[in-house]
Amino acid sequence: MIAFTDMADPGLPTRESIAQADSAAITGITWRSLHDLAYCTDAGRIGLVDRRIPKVVSTFHDLQNEWVPLNCIAVHPTQNTTLATGDADGQVKVWDLRNTKQPEVRSFGMHSSDVWDVVFPSTNAFTIASASQDGTLAHFTWNENNPDGFGASSKTIGLKEKRISGRGFSVNGIDCHPEVPLVVAVGDGGQVVLTDL
């Protein structure tokens, strides 16, 4: 279920909801625009929701890895048809949804375990930062300065990897500073780490 509520008055009941948004567990959700949301599921699907209707308007699978659970989702800061997901196989995937019949998906093997969080840093939207169960925080270039990021080769350039305190604890969440190239990461063991990108 996807529910909408007014955060200004948390005492109010849910404004609207989509009871059967997906048959699988929804594992991540984010706004694409004022009225549109994108979500991911543990069945490897991405769904798009139009809040004005409200209903699911499209769903997508990565045809190369249809049933790998997706754990998290992020929207590119300037191109809302470009999404990133992290999956249970340690892959970060970038989705181009301009072709809704068959979206292009590029996969990057950044981690050896579940990816729990992904983000497009607003200071460099040609890159993605990801956090994983394997204890790593990865930051990499995904599009080689190609204006739309697709159609270029998939090789990873400028990979930076950092371990939280070198103790191998899971990195569960990350966020990038909106104005300077800094990332904050949180993990098991109560760790909070601030590092340069």
Side-chain angles (χ1 to χ4, degrees):
M1 172 167 62
I2 297 174
F4 301 95
T5 190
D6 186 348
M7 297 301 288
D9 187 354
L12 291 176
T14 300
R15 294 175 87 188
E16 55 205 60
S17 66
I18 304 170
Q20 298 298 322
D22 203 285
S23 60
I26 295 173
T27 53
I29 192 163
T30 189
W31 291 99
R32 288 181 57 220
S33 66
L34 182 60
H35 299 290
D36 298 325
L37 294 141
Y39 69 85
C40 62
T41 73
D42 67 354
R45 278 189 296 278
I46 285 182
L48 303 179
V49 174
D50 185 335
R51 184 177 166 258
R52 295 166 292 193
I53 299 176
K55 73 174 201 174
V56 176
V57 293
S58 300
T59 58
F60 309 99
H61 270 98
D62 175 1
L63 298 177
Q64 302 299 315
N65 298 296
E66 254 186 272
W67 301 109
V68 176
L70 300 175
N71 298 325
C72 53
I73 189 166
V75 175
H76 190 280
T78 60
Q79 301 169 2
N80 73 358
T81 57
T82 302
L83 306 176
T85 57
D87 73 22
D89 285 347
Q91 299 281 315
V92 174
K93 296 178 181 182
V94 181
W95 303 68
D96 180 1
L97 302 182
R98 289 176 295 182
N99 177 358
T100 56
K101 300 243 184 268
Q102 187 175 359
E104 185 174 349
V105 180
R106 292 180 60 196
S107 295
F108 300 89
M110 304 311 314
H111 301 282
S112 62
S113 188
D114 286 85
V115 177
W116 294 129
D117 204 358
V118 291
V119 65
F120 289 97
S122 59
T123 56
N124 184 353
F126 294 119
T127 65
I128 296 174
S130 57
S132 175
Q133 176 73 32
D134 66 9
T136 60
L137 167 67
H139 177 235
F140 63 98
T141 301
W142 65 275
N143 71 356
E144 305 178 53
N145 294 321
N146 184 0
D148 70 3
F150 291 89
S153 69
S154 304
K155 71 179 185 175
T156 302
I157 297 175
L159 172 64
K160 296 179 185 177
E161 183 179 286
K162 299 188 180 203
R163 287 198 176 269
I164 289 187
S165 299
R167 295 170 37 190
F169 288 123
S170 175
V171 183
N172 301 329
I174 57 173
D175 197 18
C176 294
H177 193 283
E179 297 175 12
V180 294
L182 290 174
V183 64
V184 62
V186 295
D188 290 353
Q191 298 178 354
V192 177
V193 173
L194 182 67
T195 187
D196 294 325
L197 284 176

